[in-house]
Amino acid sequence: MTSHLDRSDELFAEISRAGYYPEIVAAGIRDALAGEPVRAFVVHHEPTFERDEIRRHMTVLTLTPTRVIVTHTDEHPGDDLLPRPYTSTTSEAVPIARVVSVLVTRMVATHSQQLEEAVLTISWGAISRVELDPARCDDPQCEADHGYSGSITGDDFTLRLSAAADGGAAIERLLDLARQLSAATSQHQPAAR
């Protein structure tokens, strides 16, 4: 990693500024960090519209010296199990050595060279997406069933940020985390034989 600083204070200040159940979100992240320092982070607070309601959720992506931690907090209305509104926080800690792919897509406005959006996808083999399409031959008149062709893509975590909705600083934090994670994964690759 390029930085040996612990950015935990910055992370928790950002969570507090977002104002979305800061104590609950911070508690989930502290537990997942297990005392490790924070090298890079992204806090993404996003509203979701469901029928007549607005639901909010927050995703926090944290990079430590040894792990990538994805923490997601949702709010829920009361239900049969819990009659009052509640939150749920889920954290997944993935060892850096398990990360097999770090994909970054940048969208830049050609007229201004301004970075408008960035998408980070991290794969570690837990979830794969299968896309199938009917297979076809070169004969446009053919009506035979040629089965299916497709692809399997690793898709464990994806986060998309835009300058308009999240601000340029959030995109820069996402790209910084991606750079540091890419550097860390290059150090954990098995040696060539």
Side-chain angles (χ1 to χ4, degrees):
M1 303 262 168
T2 58
S3 172
H4 296 289
L5 300 175
D6 184 359
R7 298 183 63 198
S8 297
D9 290 343
E10 291 176 61
L11 168 63
F12 293 118
E14 184 75 19
I15 290 167
S16 183
R17 262 192 304 281
Y20 178 77
Y21 304 107
E23 296 84 13
I24 294 169
V25 173
I29 292 170
R30 275 192 189 92
D31 287 348
L33 285 172
E36 276 197 283
V38 173
R39 298 294 186 233
F41 67 89
V42 177
V43 175
H44 187 240
H45 180 211
E46 181 179 25
T48 303
F49 300 94
E50 287 183 15
R51 292 170 275 171
D52 299 351
E53 299 179 52
I54 297 176
R55 298 219 189 284
R56 300 177 303 155
H57 59 99
M58 180 179 278
T59 301
V60 179
L61 181 61
T62 311
L63 180 63
T64 76
T66 63
R67 298 174 300 147
V68 176
I69 300 170
V70 179
T71 306
H72 187 82
T73 302
D74 283 305
E75 61 183 0
H76 307 276
D79 55 29
D80 293 340
L81 182 62
L82 296 169
R84 293 189 175 150
Y86 63 96
T87 64
S88 63
T89 300
T90 304
S91 295
E92 182 172 9
V94 179
I96 289 173
R98 294 269 328 260
V99 174
V100 294
S101 175
V102 178
L103 175 73
V104 178
T105 304
R106 302 166 188 240
M107 282 67 85
V108 177
T110 55
H111 68 282
S112 67
Q113 300 298 304
Q114 179 72 29
L115 181 62
E116 298 293 337
E117 292 187 9
V119 180
L120 171 63
T121 300
I122 304 170
S123 297
W124 52 87
I127 299 173
S128 295
R129 180 173 22 109
V130 177
E131 294 184 18
L132 296 175
D133 292 310
R136 298 192 171 115
C137 68
D138 293 334
D139 181 0
Q141 304 300 320
C142 180
E143 294 182 13
D145 182 355
H146 295 285
Y148 289 90
S149 65
S151 62
I152 298 173
T153 307
D155 193 19
D156 293 307
F157 176 78
T158 299
L159 182 60
R160 178 181 178 188
L161 300 180
S162 73
D166 305 296
I171 293 177
E172 288 304 322
R173 278 193 298 277
L174 182 73
L175 295 175
D176 176 57
L177 189 143
R179 280 189 290 274
Q180 289 193 48
L181 180 57
S182 289
T185 58
S186 71
Q187 296 170 12
H188 286 89
Q189 298 303 315
R193 294 181 188 201

